Amino acid sequence: MRLRTIGLTLALCLVAVAATFASDPNMGTWKLNETKSKIAAGIGKNDTVVYEAAGDSVKVSIDGTTADGKAAHTVWSGNFDGKEYAVTGDPTSDMRSYTRVDANTLAFAAQQAGKPTLNGQIVISADGKTRTVTTHAKDEKGMKVTNTGVYDKQ
């Protein structure tokens, strides 16, 4: 009987975690809509972004190109709790944090060796079909650059 109760409790916990991620509008695959985006020249771009559940965390995989046109693949796993988690594959950052602002909005920040490199906001449209990412960073000359990427849910 005790084993059955433990098994049932574990199953309910897994269902609750799955339901939480399923209701998150960020989850899924997003493709860059270059026509609607405003990305400065000489800046890399994220062509495809995938948010998926990874246990009790979120895994974000990004495929795109660097500023010089080379293929790039980065991965971040963590929670949307404002804490920094490691990033792999990104030459401009080694840590990234996401903070949930509201049901459809995330704020994020990236760092390299403890120094801020990028921050911004992600907003999911009310219908859940479009994702707008606004980033603020500095280019190689130290000038502030703002980019807006618009993504369509696949």
Side-chain angles (χ1 to χ4, degrees):
M1 183 69 171
R2 184 174 218 193
L3 186 59
R4 188 177 202 182
T5 302
I6 291 171
L8 182 58
T9 302
L10 181 60
L12 289 173
C13 287
L14 292 173
V15 168
V17 168
T20 299
F21 286 126
S23 66
D24 188 328
N26 288 287
M27 303 307 266
T29 301
W30 301 88
K31 295 246 185 219
L32 180 66
N33 183 326
E34 291 193 52
T35 305
K36 294 180 180 178
S37 299
K38 294 179 182 156
I39 299 173
I43 300 291
K45 60 183 174 180
N46 299 332
D47 298 313
T48 304
V49 180
V50 178
Y51 286 76
E52 59 188 325
D56 62 350
S57 298
V58 176
K59 178 180 176 185
V60 181
S61 302
I62 302 171
D63 289 304
T65 54
T66 62
D68 58 359
K70 294 179 183 172
H73 177 76
T74 65
V75 177
W76 175 90
S77 292
N79 292 301
F80 300 149
D81 58 7
K83 295 179 184 175
E84 295 177 355
Y85 296 91
V87 178
T88 60
D90 187 348
T92 65
S93 68
D94 55 14
M95 300 295 281
R96 189 178 304 149
S97 65
Y98 289 87
T99 303
R100 187 172 301 284
V101 176
D102 61 37
N104 287 6
T105 307
L106 294 173
F108 63 90
Q111 294 187 20
Q112 178 72 21
K115 295 183 179 179
T117 58
L118 174 82
N119 66 62
Q121 185 170 323
I122 301 167
V123 179
I124 307 294
S125 63
D127 65 6
K129 295 179 181 180
T130 305
R131 173 180 180 264
T132 302
V133 181
T134 304
T135 60
H136 308 284
K138 290 186 179 179
D139 64 14
E140 61 279 348
K141 297 177 184 175
M143 301 296 293
K144 289 183 180 181
V145 178
T146 298
N147 291 299
T148 303
V150 178
Y151 294 80
D152 298 320
K153 192 154 198 178
Q154 300 302 296

Short mmCIF file of all heavy atoms in Angstrom, two decimals, residues 20-74:
data_model
loop_
_atom_site.label_atom_id
_atom_site.label_comp_id
_atom_site.label_asym_id
_atom_site.label_seq_id
_atom_site.Cartn_x
_atom_site.Cartn_y
_atom_site.Cartn_z
N THR A 20 2.68 22.39 -16.20
CA THR A 20 3.27 23.73 -16.08
C THR A 20 4.01 24.10 -17.34
O THR A 20 3.84 25.19 -17.87
CB THR A 20 4.23 23.77 -14.87
OG1 THR A 20 3.48 23.49 -13.69
CG2 THR A 20 4.90 25.12 -14.74
N PHE A 21 4.86 23.21 -17.86
CA PHE A 21 5.61 23.51 -19.07
C PHE A 21 4.70 23.59 -20.29
O PHE A 21 4.93 24.41 -21.17
CB PHE A 21 6.71 22.47 -19.30
CG PHE A 21 7.88 22.63 -18.36
CD1 PHE A 21 8.32 21.58 -17.59
CD2 PHE A 21 8.53 23.85 -18.23
CE1 PHE A 21 9.40 21.71 -16.73
CE2 PHE A 21 9.61 24.00 -17.38
CZ PHE A 21 10.04 22.93 -16.62
N ALA A 22 3.68 22.75 -20.35
CA ALA A 22 2.77 22.76 -21.49
C ALA A 22 2.02 24.08 -21.59
O ALA A 22 1.71 24.53 -22.68
CB ALA A 22 1.79 21.59 -21.39
N SER A 23 1.74 24.72 -20.46
CA SER A 23 0.99 25.97 -20.49
C SER A 23 1.89 27.19 -20.70
O SER A 23 1.40 28.29 -20.86
CB SER A 23 0.19 26.14 -19.19
OG SER A 23 1.08 26.29 -18.10
N ASP A 24 3.20 27.00 -20.71
CA ASP A 24 4.14 28.10 -20.91
C ASP A 24 4.17 28.45 -22.40
O ASP A 24 4.56 27.62 -23.22
CB ASP A 24 5.53 27.70 -20.42
CG ASP A 24 6.50 28.86 -20.43
OD1 ASP A 24 6.37 29.76 -21.29
OD2 ASP A 24 7.39 28.88 -19.58
N PRO A 25 3.80 29.68 -22.78
CA PRO A 25 3.75 30.04 -24.20
C PRO A 25 5.12 30.08 -24.87
O PRO A 25 5.20 30.09 -26.09
CB PRO A 25 3.10 31.42 -24.20
CG PRO A 25 3.38 31.98 -22.85
CD PRO A 25 3.40 30.79 -21.92
N ASN A 26 6.22 30.09 -24.10
CA ASN A 26 7.56 30.09 -24.69
C ASN A 26 7.94 28.74 -25.26
O ASN A 26 8.77 28.66 -26.16
CB ASN A 26 8.60 30.47 -23.63
CG ASN A 26 8.52 31.92 -23.26
OD1 ASN A 26 8.91 32.79 -24.03
ND2 ASN A 26 7.99 32.21 -22.08
N MET A 27 7.35 27.68 -24.74
CA MET A 27 7.75 26.33 -25.13
C MET A 27 7.44 26.05 -26.60
O MET A 27 6.42 26.49 -27.12
CB MET A 27 7.06 25.30 -24.24
CG MET A 27 7.33 25.50 -22.76
SD MET A 27 9.06 25.60 -22.34
CE MET A 27 9.35 23.91 -21.95
N GLY A 28 8.37 25.37 -27.25
CA GLY A 28 8.18 25.02 -28.65
C GLY A 28 9.33 25.52 -29.51
O GLY A 28 10.36 25.97 -29.00
N THR A 29 9.13 25.44 -30.81
CA THR A 29 10.15 25.85 -31.78
C THR A 29 9.74 27.16 -32.42
O THR A 29 8.59 27.33 -32.85
CB THR A 29 10.32 24.77 -32.87
OG1 THR A 29 10.71 23.55 -32.23
CG2 THR A 29 11.35 25.16 -33.90
N TRP A 30 10.71 28.09 -32.49
CA TRP A 30 10.49 29.43 -33.04
C TRP A 30 11.49 29.69 -34.16
O TRP A 30 12.67 29.44 -34.00
CB TRP A 30 10.66 30.48 -31.95
CG TRP A 30 9.73 30.31 -30.80
CD1 TRP A 30 9.92 29.55 -29.68
CD2 TRP A 30 8.44 30.91 -30.66
NE1 TRP A 30 8.83 29.65 -28.85
CE2 TRP A 30 7.91 30.47 -29.43
CE3 TRP A 30 7.70 31.77 -31.45
CZ2 TRP A 30 6.66 30.89 -28.98
CZ3 TRP A 30 6.46 32.18 -31.01
CH2 TRP A 30 5.94 31.73 -29.79
N LYS A 31 10.99 30.19 -35.30
CA LYS A 31 11.86 30.50 -36.45
C LYS A 31 11.86 32.01 -36.68
O LYS A 31 10.82 32.66 -36.64
CB LYS A 31 11.35 29.82 -37.71
CG LYS A 31 11.41 28.32 -37.64
CD LYS A 31 12.40 27.78 -38.61
CE LYS A 31 12.31 26.25 -38.58
NZ LYS A 31 13.56 25.63 -38.67
N LEU A 32 13.07 32.55 -36.92
CA LEU A 32 13.23 33.97 -37.17
C LEU A 32 12.51 34.38 -38.45
O LEU A 32 12.65 33.75 -39.49
CB LEU A 32 14.73 34.31 -37.31
CG LEU A 32 15.06 35.77 -37.58
CD1 LEU A 32 14.69 36.65 -36.39
CD2 LEU A 32 16.55 35.92 -37.91
N ASN A 33 11.72 35.45 -38.36
CA ASN A 33 11.08 36.06 -39.52
C ASN A 33 11.93 37.29 -39.86
O ASN A 33 11.78 38.35 -39.27
CB ASN A 33 9.64 36.46 -39.17
CG ASN A 33 8.90 37.02 -40.35
OD1 ASN A 33 9.47 37.68 -41.20
ND2 ASN A 33 7.59 36.78 -40.39
N GLU A 34 12.86 37.11 -40.80
CA GLU A 34 13.81 38.18 -41.12
C GLU A 34 13.14 39.42 -41.68
O GLU A 34 13.63 40.53 -41.48
CB GLU A 34 14.88 37.66 -42.07
CG GLU A 34 15.80 36.65 -41.38
CD GLU A 34 17.04 36.35 -42.18
OE1 GLU A 34 17.74 37.30 -42.57
OE2 GLU A 34 17.31 35.16 -42.39
N THR A 35 12.03 39.25 -42.37
CA THR A 35 11.32 40.39 -42.94
C THR A 35 10.81 41.33 -41.86
O THR A 35 10.88 42.55 -42.01
CB THR A 35 10.14 39.90 -43.81
OG1 THR A 35 10.63 39.00 -44.79
CG2 THR A 35 9.44 41.06 -44.49
N LYS A 36 10.32 40.79 -40.76
CA LYS A 36 9.76 41.60 -39.68
C LYS A 36 10.81 42.03 -38.66
O LYS A 36 10.54 42.87 -37.81
CB LYS A 36 8.64 40.84 -38.98
CG LYS A 36 7.44 40.57 -39.85
CD LYS A 36 6.37 39.81 -39.09
CE LYS A 36 5.15 39.53 -39.94
NZ LYS A 36 4.15 38.76 -39.20
N SER A 37 12.00 41.45 -38.71
CA SER A 37 13.04 41.72 -37.72
C SER A 37 13.90 42.92 -38.11
O SER A 37 14.00 43.26 -39.29
CB SER A 37 13.93 40.49 -37.56
OG SER A 37 13.18 39.38 -37.12
N LYS A 38 14.52 43.53 -37.11
CA LYS A 38 15.46 44.63 -37.33
C LYS A 38 16.75 44.30 -36.60
O LYS A 38 16.89 44.56 -35.41
CB LYS A 38 14.86 45.94 -36.82
CG LYS A 38 13.65 46.38 -37.62
CD LYS A 38 13.06 47.66 -37.09
CE LYS A 38 11.83 47.98 -37.94
NZ LYS A 38 10.89 48.80 -37.26
N ILE A 39 17.68 43.70 -37.36
CA ILE A 39 18.94 43.26 -36.79
C ILE A 39 20.06 44.06 -37.45
O ILE A 39 20.18 44.08 -38.68
CB ILE A 39 19.14 41.74 -36.99
CG1 ILE A 39 18.00 40.99 -36.29
CG2 ILE A 39 20.49 41.30 -36.47
CD1 ILE A 39 17.95 39.52 -36.55
N ALA A 40 20.87 44.71 -36.63
CA ALA A 40 21.95 45.55 -37.13
C ALA A 40 22.95 44.74 -37.95
O ALA A 40 23.18 43.56 -37.68
CB ALA A 40 22.66 46.24 -35.97
N ALA A 41 23.55 45.38 -38.93
CA ALA A 41 24.58 44.73 -39.74
C ALA A 41 25.77 44.37 -38.85
O ALA A 41 26.08 45.07 -37.89
CB ALA A 41 25.03 45.67 -40.85
N GLY A 42 26.40 43.25 -39.17
CA GLY A 42 27.57 42.84 -38.41
C GLY A 42 27.26 42.15 -37.09
O GLY A 42 28.15 41.94 -36.28
N ILE A 43 26.00 41.82 -36.86
CA ILE A 43 25.57 41.14 -35.63
C ILE A 43 25.11 39.74 -36.01
O ILE A 43 24.44 39.54 -37.02
CB ILE A 43 24.41 41.92 -34.96
CG1 ILE A 43 24.82 43.33 -34.61
CG2 ILE A 43 23.88 41.17 -33.75
CD1 ILE A 43 25.83 43.44 -33.50
N GLY A 44 25.44 38.77 -35.19
CA GLY A 44 24.96 37.41 -35.42
C GLY A 44 23.46 37.35 -35.23
O GLY A 44 22.83 38.27 -34.69
N LYS A 45 22.87 36.27 -35.72
CA LYS A 45 21.42 36.13 -35.55
C LYS A 45 21.06 34.70 -35.19
O LYS A 45 21.74 33.76 -35.55
CB LYS A 45 20.67 36.58 -36.81
CG LYS A 45 21.01 35.81 -38.04
CD LYS A 45 20.30 36.37 -39.25
CE LYS A 45 20.79 35.65 -40.49
NZ LYS A 45 20.15 36.14 -41.68
N ASN A 46 19.97 34.60 -34.45
CA ASN A 46 19.43 33.31 -34.03
C ASN A 46 18.32 32.93 -34.98
O ASN A 46 17.26 33.55 -34.97
CB ASN A 46 18.91 33.40 -32.59
CG ASN A 46 19.98 33.77 -31.61
OD1 ASN A 46 21.15 33.50 -31.81
ND2 ASN A 46 19.59 34.41 -30.53
N ASP A 47 18.54 31.92 -35.80
CA ASP A 47 17.56 31.52 -36.80
C ASP A 47 16.45 30.65 -36.23
O ASP A 47 15.28 30.81 -36.58
CB ASP A 47 18.24 30.77 -37.95
CG ASP A 47 19.24 31.65 -38.68
OD1 ASP A 47 18.90 32.80 -39.01
OD2 ASP A 47 20.38 31.19 -38.91
N THR A 48 16.81 29.72 -35.35
CA THR A 48 15.84 28.81 -34.75
C THR A 48 16.11 28.72 -33.25
O THR A 48 17.25 28.53 -32.83
CB THR A 48 15.94 27.39 -35.36
OG1 THR A 48 15.79 27.49 -36.78
CG2 THR A 48 14.87 26.47 -34.80
N VAL A 49 15.05 28.85 -32.46
CA VAL A 49 15.15 28.77 -31.01
C VAL A 49 14.14 27.73 -30.54
O VAL A 49 12.97 27.79 -30.93
CB VAL A 49 14.86 30.13 -30.34
CG1 VAL A 49 14.98 30.03 -28.83
CG2 VAL A 49 15.79 31.21 -30.89
N VAL A 50 14.60 26.78 -29.73
CA VAL A 50 13.73 25.72 -29.23
C VAL A 50 13.74 25.75 -27.71
O VAL A 50 14.80 25.67 -27.08
CB VAL A 50 14.18 24.33 -29.73
CG1 VAL A 50 13.28 23.24 -29.16
CG2 VAL A 50 14.22 24.28 -31.24
N TYR A 51 12.55 25.89 -27.11
CA TYR A 51 12.36 25.80 -25.66
C TYR A 51 11.70 24.46 -25.39
O TYR A 51 10.66 24.14 -25.99
CB TYR A 51 11.41 26.89 -25.16
CG TYR A 51 11.99 28.27 -25.12
CD1 TYR A 51 12.16 29.02 -26.28
CD2 TYR A 51 12.35 28.85 -23.91
CE1 TYR A 51 12.67 30.31 -26.24
CE2 TYR A 51 12.86 30.14 -23.85
CZ TYR A 51 13.02 30.85 -25.02
OH TYR A 51 13.54 32.12 -24.97
N GLU A 52 12.30 23.68 -24.48
CA GLU A 52 11.72 22.38 -24.14
C GLU A 52 11.95 22.06 -22.67
O GLU A 52 12.89 22.57 -22.05
CB GLU A 52 12.30 21.28 -25.03
CG GLU A 52 13.81 21.14 -24.93
CD GLU A 52 14.37 20.19 -25.97
OE1 GLU A 52 13.71 19.20 -26.31
OE2 GLU A 52 15.49 20.44 -26.42
N ALA A 53 11.06 21.23 -22.13
CA ALA A 53 11.22 20.79 -20.74
C ALA A 53 12.41 19.86 -20.65
O ALA A 53 12.64 19.03 -21.54
CB ALA A 53 9.95 20.08 -20.28
N ALA A 54 13.19 20.02 -19.57
CA ALA A 54 14.33 19.15 -19.29
C ALA A 54 14.28 18.83 -17.81
O ALA A 54 14.90 19.51 -17.00
CB ALA A 54 15.64 19.84 -19.67
N GLY A 55 13.48 17.83 -17.46
CA GLY A 55 13.25 17.54 -16.04
C GLY A 55 12.43 18.67 -15.44
O GLY A 55 11.40 19.05 -15.97
N ASP A 56 12.93 19.25 -14.35
CA ASP A 56 12.21 20.38 -13.75
C ASP A 56 12.79 21.71 -14.20
O ASP A 56 12.52 22.75 -13.61
CB ASP A 56 12.23 20.27 -12.22
CG ASP A 56 13.63 20.31 -11.64
OD1 ASP A 56 14.60 20.24 -12.42
OD2 ASP A 56 13.76 20.41 -10.41
N SER A 57 13.57 21.69 -15.27
CA SER A 57 14.16 22.90 -15.84
C SER A 57 13.68 23.11 -17.27
O SER A 57 12.91 22.31 -17.79
CB SER A 57 15.70 22.78 -15.87
OG SER A 57 16.22 22.65 -14.58
N VAL A 58 14.17 24.18 -17.87
CA VAL A 58 13.89 24.48 -19.27
C VAL A 58 15.21 24.44 -20.02
O VAL A 58 16.23 24.94 -19.53
CB VAL A 58 13.27 25.89 -19.43
CG1 VAL A 58 13.06 26.23 -20.89
CG2 VAL A 58 11.96 25.98 -18.67
N LYS A 59 15.21 23.84 -21.19
CA LYS A 59 16.40 23.82 -22.06
C LYS A 59 16.10 24.70 -23.26
O LYS A 59 15.06 24.54 -23.91
CB LYS A 59 16.71 22.40 -22.50
CG LYS A 59 17.90 22.29 -23.44
CD LYS A 59 18.14 20.84 -23.83
CE LYS A 59 19.25 20.72 -24.83
NZ LYS A 59 19.39 19.33 -25.30
N VAL A 60 17.01 25.65 -23.53
CA VAL A 60 16.87 26.52 -24.68
C VAL A 60 18.03 26.24 -25.63
O VAL A 60 19.19 26.43 -25.26
CB VAL A 60 16.88 28.02 -24.27
CG1 VAL A 60 16.72 28.90 -25.49
CG2 VAL A 60 15.80 28.31 -23.24
N SER A 61 17.72 25.77 -26.82
CA SER A 61 18.73 25.48 -27.84
C SER A 61 18.56 26.49 -28.97
O SER A 61 17.44 26.70 -29.45
CB SER A 61 18.56 24.07 -28.41
OG SER A 61 18.65 23.12 -27.37
N ILE A 62 19.67 27.09 -29.38
CA ILE A 62 19.62 28.13 -30.40
C ILE A 62 20.58 27.78 -31.53
O ILE A 62 21.75 27.48 -31.29
CB ILE A 62 20.02 29.51 -29.80
CG1 ILE A 62 19.09 29.87 -28.65
CG2 ILE A 62 20.01 30.58 -30.89
CD1 ILE A 62 19.53 31.09 -27.85
N ASP A 63 20.06 27.82 -32.76
CA ASP A 63 20.89 27.64 -33.94
C ASP A 63 20.82 28.92 -34.76
O ASP A 63 19.74 29.48 -34.96
CB ASP A 63 20.40 26.46 -34.78
CG ASP A 63 20.67 25.13 -34.11
OD1 ASP A 63 21.86 24.88 -33.79
OD2 ASP A 63 19.72 24.37 -33.88
N GLY A 64 21.97 29.38 -35.20
CA GLY A 64 22.02 30.60 -35.97
C GLY A 64 23.36 30.79 -36.63
O GLY A 64 24.06 29.82 -36.93
N THR A 65 23.74 32.05 -36.82
CA THR A 65 25.03 32.38 -37.42
C THR A 65 25.70 33.47 -36.60
O THR A 65 25.03 34.32 -36.01
CB THR A 65 24.86 32.86 -38.87
OG1 THR A 65 23.93 33.93 -38.90
CG2 THR A 65 24.38 31.75 -39.79
N THR A 66 27.03 33.43 -36.58
CA THR A 66 27.80 34.47 -35.91
C THR A 66 27.87 35.70 -36.81
O THR A 66 27.43 35.67 -37.96
CB THR A 66 29.23 33.97 -35.60
OG1 THR A 66 29.88 33.67 -36.84
CG2 THR A 66 29.20 32.74 -34.71
N ALA A 67 28.46 36.78 -36.29
CA ALA A 67 28.59 38.02 -37.06
C ALA A 67 29.36 37.81 -38.37
O ALA A 67 29.08 38.47 -39.36
CB ALA A 67 29.27 39.09 -36.21
N ASP A 68 30.29 36.84 -38.37
CA ASP A 68 31.06 36.59 -39.59
C ASP A 68 30.48 35.46 -40.45
O ASP A 68 31.12 34.95 -41.35
CB ASP A 68 32.53 36.33 -39.26
CG ASP A 68 32.74 35.17 -38.31
OD1 ASP A 68 31.74 34.56 -37.88
OD2 ASP A 68 33.90 34.89 -37.98
N GLY A 69 29.23 35.07 -40.16
CA GLY A 69 28.52 34.11 -41.00
C GLY A 69 28.73 32.64 -40.70
O GLY A 69 28.24 31.78 -41.42
N LYS A 70 29.46 32.32 -39.63
CA LYS A 70 29.69 30.92 -39.28
C LYS A 70 28.50 30.37 -38.49
O LYS A 70 27.84 31.10 -37.77
CB LYS A 70 30.96 30.79 -38.45
CG LYS A 70 32.21 31.15 -39.21
CD LYS A 70 33.44 31.03 -38.34
CE LYS A 70 34.68 31.48 -39.10
NZ LYS A 70 35.84 31.55 -38.23
N ALA A 71 28.28 29.07 -38.64
CA ALA A 71 27.18 28.42 -37.92
C ALA A 71 27.44 28.48 -36.42
O ALA A 71 28.59 28.37 -35.97
CB ALA A 71 27.04 26.97 -38.37
N ALA A 72 26.38 28.68 -35.65
CA ALA A 72 26.48 28.76 -34.19
C ALA A 72 25.39 27.89 -33.56
O ALA A 72 24.27 27.81 -34.08
CB ALA A 72 26.34 30.19 -33.72
N HIS A 73 25.74 27.25 -32.45
CA HIS A 73 24.76 26.44 -31.70
C HIS A 73 25.03 26.68 -30.22
O HIS A 73 26.13 26.41 -29.74
CB HIS A 73 24.90 24.96 -32.03
CG HIS A 73 23.98 24.09 -31.23
ND1 HIS A 73 22.63 23.99 -31.51
CD2 HIS A 73 24.21 23.32 -30.15
CE1 HIS A 73 22.08 23.16 -30.62
NE2 HIS A 73 23.01 22.75 -29.79
N THR A 74 24.05 27.22 -29.51
CA THR A 74 24.20 27.45 -28.07
C THR A 74 23.10 26.71 -27.32
O THR A 74 22.02 26.47 -27.86
CB THR A 74 24.14 28.94 -27.71
OG1 THR A 74 22.85 29.46 -28.01
CG2 THR A 74 25.18 29.74 -28.48
#
